[in-house]
Amino acid sequence: MRDLSTKQNTIKGEAIMADQQGGTVLGGVRDVDPNANDLQVESLARFAVDEHNKKENVSLEYRRLIGAKTQVVAGTMHHLTVEVADGETKKVYEAKVLEKAWENLKKLEDFTHLRDV
């Protein structure tokens, strides 16, 4: 019988739960492969910027996806680090997008300014 007890690990500053064999337990945040060139993740990053623009009545321009992580919750929470242009200034934001494919739901949960570039 497999031991399902957990221990806490820290990877790149993110706390995750792992079982004794090292597998990720639901709820843990994991990096998205940067070489995957995933069009879905790119689309979610653009969606986050567009939704933020609508909500805040601003006109940030999407530039590029810097990094992405996912977390399985009641759906998938996408943690996206995006670079945008605010006029002539480049800025980096952290966006959280909740996706529930079975409900055809995509929702911007958070959009936080991290730094100017």
Side-chain angles (χ1 to χ4, degrees), residues 67 78-82 92-96 110-114:
H78 299 273
H79 301 257
L80 308 167
T81 306
V82 296
V92 176
Y93 283 83
E94 182 74 32
K96 292 182 183 177
D110 188 45
F111 199 82
T112 303
H113 178 252
L114 297 178

Side-chain angles (χ1 to χ4, degrees), residues 25-30 70-77:
V25 176
L26 296 180
V29 178
R30 67 175 180 83
T70 59
Q71 179 181 19
V72 177
V73 290
T76 302
M77 183 69 72

Side-chain angles (χ1 to χ4, degrees), residues 8-114:
Q8 189 166 355
N9 291 329
T10 302
I11 299 175
K12 294 184 181 178
E14 296 288 337
I16 63 168
M17 298 301 290
D19 66 18
Q20 295 294 348
Q21 283 70 40
T24 302
V25 176
L26 296 180
V29 178
R30 67 175 180 83
D31 288 327
V32 173
D33 181 3
N35 298 318
N37 195 19
D38 191 339
L39 294 177
Q40 179 198 16
V41 177
E42 179 90 16
S43 174
L44 288 168
R46 290 179 184 277
F47 168 82
V49 174
D50 290 344
E51 288 297 300
H52 175 75
N53 285 344
K54 289 177 198 172
K55 181 179 176 185
E56 298 298 323
N57 197 27
V58 294
S59 57
L60 300 177
E61 183 181 336
Y62 175 82
R63 287 293 189 209
R64 68 185 178 107
L65 178 65
I66 297 172
K69 296 179 182 186
T70 59
Q71 179 181 19
V72 177
V73 290
T76 302
M77 183 69 72
H78 299 273
H79 301 257
L80 308 167
T81 306
V82 296
E83 181 181 296
V84 300
D86 185 4
E88 296 295 316
T89 306
K90 290 182 183 176
K91 297 183 177 190
V92 176
Y93 283 83
E94 182 74 32
K96 292 182 183 177
V97 177
L98 177 62
E99 186 176 40
K100 294 182 181 181
W102 65 93
E103 293 180 6
N104 198 26
L105 172 79
K106 229 182 339 185
K107 180 180 177 190
L108 180 63
E109 294 287 331
D110 188 45
F111 199 82
T112 303
H113 178 252
L114 297 178

